[in-house]
Amino acid sequence: LKTVEEWKEYQEATRSQGEEERRRTGEKTDCETWKPPEQGSIKLNTDAAFNRNMIKAGWGIATRDNRGRLLATWAVPRLCSRNVKMEEAMAIRRAVELATLEGWERVQIESDSKEIVEKLMKKDWNDKWIGMILEDISRMSCFFEKCCFSFVKRNCNFVS
């Protein structure tokens, strides 16, 4: 519970900083806030962070219901990493695995990695680094009643 409260404080601070920066620069965005999933679905937001200098990465996964209630969060540190695309794809695969373990039947998975989401939508497994991971995601997604993937801009994916 303490972790959730600290996370909410972090979200609020980050949101305020982002809003101040947009006001200062006059930047416009298509998405100002996170949007809830449709009734009866769970939304999983995923993101991967990558530090090339230290060859480390980490994944964040946050799940919420259609009322916006935070159901679960996962932070996954990685001590060895090959590239950003791989980390983004692996974060999505882990989200699908976790949704399966939770027994959720209708899921919406959002990522700020446009390339990965597009490859999933087109069933494009030809990438030598991530093709197998994308195929795993596609196969696992068939076990849900409904599973969809979508791209979301970074400023709407901050929760993960």
Side-chain angles (χ1 to χ4, degrees), residues 102-114:
E102 291 292 331
W104 296 325
E105 295 177 354
R106 298 171 58 85
V107 296
Q108 297 176 20
I109 300 172
E110 288 186 340
S111 170
D112 57 18
S113 177
K114 189 173 186 176

Side-chain angles (χ1 to χ4, degrees), residues 11-23:
Q11 285 178 310
E12 187 57 40
T14 305
R15 185 178 309 128
S16 297
Q17 289 172 352
E19 289 169 1
E20 178 60 35
E21 178 67 16
R22 283 190 298 278
R23 273 195 296 272

Side-chain angles (χ1 to χ4, degrees), residues 7-27 29 32 154-155 158:
W7 180 249
K8 286 179 183 178
E9 288 177 23
Y10 170 77
Q11 285 178 310
E12 187 57 40
T14 305
R15 185 178 309 128
S16 297
Q17 289 172 352
E19 289 169 1
E20 178 60 35
E21 178 67 16
R22 283 190 298 278
R23 273 195 296 272
R24 191 170 55 74
T25 63
E27 177 186 347
T29 59
E32 292 296 327
R154 185 171 297 275
N155 61 314
F158 68 90

Side-chain angles (χ1 to χ4, degrees), residues 3 7 44-51 55-63 72-81 83-84 86-99 101 159-160:
T3 304
W7 180 249
L44 295 93
N45 286 84
T46 68
D47 197 11
F50 187 75
N51 183 323
I55 312 173
K56 288 185 180 181
W59 312 329
I61 303 166
T63 61
T73 60
W74 294 272
V76 183
R78 303 255 304 145
L79 298 176
C80 180
S81 179
N83 67 43
V84 176
M86 181 178 283
E87 294 302 328
E88 292 284 0
M90 290 174 67
I92 293 171
R93 180 174 66 186
R94 186 63 182 147
V96 172
E97 291 169 352
L98 292 167
L101 291 172
V159 69
S160 58

